[in-house]
Amino acid sequence: MTKQYVISGLEASANINVGLGKRLVITEEDDRTVKTKTPKPSWTAIGDGMKTRHFQSYPYEDTLLDLSKPEAWFFKLLLKAWTIEDGYSNISHVTFTATEKTVASNAYKKLKERDLVRKVRNKVYLINPCAKIHLTLFDTLYKVWNDLDKPKPKKGMYNYISFIPNGFWLKSYKTWDSKIKKFITEVKND
């Protein structure tokens, strides 16, 4: 014989059946401890370019149909080299002839213009995470994708200091000049 309990005061009433020899324990928890869900790409909008509040899906199918032969060859190479562990395409094991290097370089430039592929480092590429979605590493890959779009500071150039708080003063700082292979000290008098 089981007893049935009805708990009200929730969004919906819940029925709980407790068997003989069992006891019912009810605890109270704070609702604010529930973690909010991180935004994910629109799974229904894959490949059609639809935009949600957080993400713009990539028009994957249209892009694949419009690829030229060299672009398709290089993208196929990247897809084969794509790994599930980290979400990158590492083609360091592939040896290219001189002609293939030129074709791959030009194909990469075209794929980058289409916003489909970006270079992470030498022979390591990242396919647009909104085009090829990695279920577990999406957030990390999406952040890396956006960070790769930012321009990097060039070596041998000074960063402009836009704000110095009152009470602080800047005498000088150093930077490495790759052309003359030594540190340069520049005094700024503002």
Side-chain angles (χ1 to χ4, degrees):
M1 181 171 161
T2 61
K3 293 183 180 181
Q4 188 174 14
Y5 299 92
V6 178
I7 300 174
S8 60
L10 303 173
E11 290 181 15
S13 296
N15 293 329
I16 299 174
N17 295 323
V18 180
L20 288 176
K22 306 283 182 175
R23 68 181 185 167
L24 177 65
V25 178
I26 299 175
T27 59
E28 185 178 53
E29 293 181 355
D30 191 10
D31 285 345
R32 288 175 274 161
T33 60
V34 178
K35 293 182 180 178
T36 58
K37 293 183 180 180
T38 56
K40 295 288 182 192
S42 175
W43 305 110
T44 59
I46 295 173
D48 64 358
M50 186 174 146
K51 187 171 185 174
T52 62
R53 277 188 296 158
H54 303 287
F55 299 99
Q56 169 79 38
S57 78
Y58 188 80
Y60 192 59
E61 295 152 353
D62 293 339
T63 304
L64 290 181
L65 291 173
D66 292 340
L67 292 179
S68 65
K69 191 170 182 179
E71 291 172 305
W73 166 76
F74 188 67
F75 190 65
K76 183 179 177 184
L77 185 72
L78 293 178
L79 285 176
K80 285 183 179 180
W82 188 81
T83 56
I84 192 78
E85 291 83 24
D86 60 359
Y88 295 109
S89 298
N90 187 349
I91 58 169
S92 59
H93 63 283
V94 179
T95 54
F96 293 116
T97 63
T99 305
E100 287 175 336
K101 280 184 185 179
T102 306
V103 171
S105 176
N106 291 335
Y108 166 70
K109 288 176 186 174
K110 297 269 175 98
L111 289 173
K112 186 177 179 185
E113 287 174 7
R114 293 179 186 268
D115 209 25
L116 184 59
V117 175
R118 289 192 184 148
K119 193 176 208 172
V120 178
R121 58 184 176 273
N122 191 21
K123 295 191 175 185
V124 178
Y125 297 88
L126 177 62
I127 299 171
N128 188 336
C130 291
K132 182 158 181 68
I133 296 175
H134 193 292
L135 295 176
T136 55
L137 296 175
F138 177 80
D139 295 330
T140 308
L141 294 175
Y142 190 73
K143 183 179 181 319
V144 170
W145 178 263
N146 289 331
D147 289 345
L148 288 174
D149 196 24
K150 296 176 184 172
K152 296 178 184 176
K154 296 180 181 177
K155 292 179 182 176
M157 295 193 63
Y158 294 97
N159 292 331
Y160 175 70
I161 299 173
S162 59
F163 173 72
I164 300 174
N166 289 338
F168 287 88
W169 54 277
L170 181 65
K171 184 177 179 183
S172 67
Y173 57 95
K174 293 181 180 181
T175 190
W176 178 257
D177 191 341
S178 59
K179 291 180 183 175
I180 59 174
K181 306 288 188 216
K182 68 177 189 178
F183 282 105
I184 303 172
T185 304
E186 179 76 20
V187 178
K188 288 205 122 182
N189 295 325
D190 289 334

